[in-house]
DNA sequence: AAAATGTTGACTAGAATACTCGACTTTTCA
DNA sequence: TGAAAAGTCGAGTATTCTAGTCAACATTTT
């Protein structure tokens, strides 16, 4: 059930850019703060730009700048565009459903659907702003407190 | 955030064996019902046997038989042994924690921890019996009622 | 003895992951 | 005006993971 490095790194980069919202930040600086190599970040940042999250400026003192408001950047969406559906199985995916022969009577699909829903519930309710302010979904609803970690 | 075929197939096989609890079922029959090839099932069933979920009988009319009670087979546990931690990131894993340089001030870890907890919450509370009896919260409630188990 | 099973270990093709690299374009500024 | 500092783009690559296959063997039943 892993999330790939691309998704993780994209979020790291967005956090850096969100923290410096309004400023142009070079790939090098993002690299320093995220511990991701410059050449790998090139790929990821370019993709985020094409997806409309970032703007760029070339030349000396160039770099990337966050285009959207931090509260309008949805984490579930970022993960989906960078690494596909949140669902653990194609049969339970809403964004990219894949049929399965066993489906009519499958006893697993309800489970995968529930897992998908829980993951989507968490990630789709979380924004970049939430992460920046260390406000994760825990406080978003009382019925969610059941998940609170006891550490 | 995918689950691998091994985990899925293992659960399919366990469902077949759970449905016929007490009977010896050949790999061939399990293959027919799960749509998984015999040779791949060999691997998976053997592993499940070594993990204590199954017993086997060789020779004519041989096959596999469920060793534990269906209510004592925990789905989260099955997934973990067959494909590793539930956590989307090593930093948030409880069963296989991996350190990360960013950790002291990482703004993502709380999110990954929450995701881990929600997945674990669902899977660790579900047993093979639950799956066999279709006792999984189906309705995607407007809120998070989906988590409230009705039994 | 023959047939029907499970057991074991090795092997493999293909896909995905996690990058790297080089050549190019644009912008700034001395 | 030219050199340097950026982003852009396309291709390449090493490694790991996935999803199996396969052949030879061991055991049990009939």
């Amino acid at each position: 059930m892993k999330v790939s490095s691309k998704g993780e790194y994209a979020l790291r980069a967005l956090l850096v850019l969100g923290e410096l919202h309004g400023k142009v930040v070079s790939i090098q600086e993002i690299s320093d703060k995220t511990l991701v190599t410059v050449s790998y970040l090139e790929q990821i940042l370019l993709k985020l730009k094409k997806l409309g999250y970032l703007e760029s400026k070339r030349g000396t003192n160039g770099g990337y700048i966050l285009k959207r408001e931090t509260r309008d950047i949805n984490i579930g969406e970022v993960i989906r565009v960078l690494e596909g559906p949140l669902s653990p199985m194609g049969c339970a995916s809403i964004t990219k459903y894949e049929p399965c022969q066993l489906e009519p009577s499958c006893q697993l699909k309800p489970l995968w659907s529930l897992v998908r829903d829980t993951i989507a519930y968490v990630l789709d309710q979380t924004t970049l702003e939430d992460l920046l302010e260390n406000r994760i979904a825990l406080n978003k609803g009382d019925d969610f407190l059941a998940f609170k970690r006891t550490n």
Side-chain angles (χ1 to χ4, degrees), chain A:
Chain A
M1 312 272 290
K2 292 278 168 280
V3 71
S4 76
S5 71
K6 241 170 193 158
E8 160 84 10
Y9 295 167
L11 291 177
R12 286 189 196 175
L14 287 171
L15 281 167
V16 169
L17 289 165
E19 205 119 23
L20 301 170
H21 202 346
K23 290 209 182 74
V24 175
V25 188
S26 71
I27 298 186
Q28 183 57 61
E29 186 175 345
I30 298 172
S31 170
D32 293 341
K33 294 190 174 167
T34 57
L35 306 183
V36 181
T37 64
V38 168
S39 27
Y40 200 19
L41 275 174
E42 283 173 4
Q43 266 188 36
I44 294 165
L45 294 172
L46 202 53
K47 189 157 192 184
L48 287 173
K49 180 193 169 186
K50 287 177 177 164
L51 289 165
Y53 293 101
L54 309 180
E55 277 175 341
S56 63
K57 218 189 133 213
R58 289 179 154 199
T60 306
N61 298 322
Y64 284 95
I65 189 169
L66 197 61
K67 193 174 178 181
R68 289 157 55 172
E69 291 302 314
T70 56
R71 85 177 68 86
D72 295 331
I73 295 178
N74 179 289
I75 305 304
E77 191 185 296
V78 174
I79 302 284
R80 281 196 194 86
V81 297
L82 277 146
E83 49 189 86
L86 301 181
S87 177
M89 273 287 155
C91 68
S93 175
I94 290 181
T95 56
K96 197 169 182 179
Y97 166 75
E98 289 168 52
C100 165
Q101 282 191 54
L102 295 177
E103 198 167 333
S105 61
C106 180
Q107 288 162 313
L108 285 171
K109 182 176 172 181
L111 179 67
W112 300 140
S113 296
L114 182 58
V115 170
R116 190 220 81 93
D117 288 348
T118 60
I119 295 173
Y121 179 84
V122 171
L123 296 183
D124 284 339
Q125 292 217 4
T126 305
T127 66
L128 189 58
E129 185 180 61
D130 293 330
L131 294 184
L132 285 165
E133 298 181 5
N134 302 306
R135 224 190 316 141
I136 52 164
L138 276 179
N139 335 342
K140 290 231 160 170
D142 288 336
D143 37 18
F144 210 66
L145 289 175
F147 292 120
K148 195 163 194 173
R149 309 188 79 188
T150 54
N151 51 8

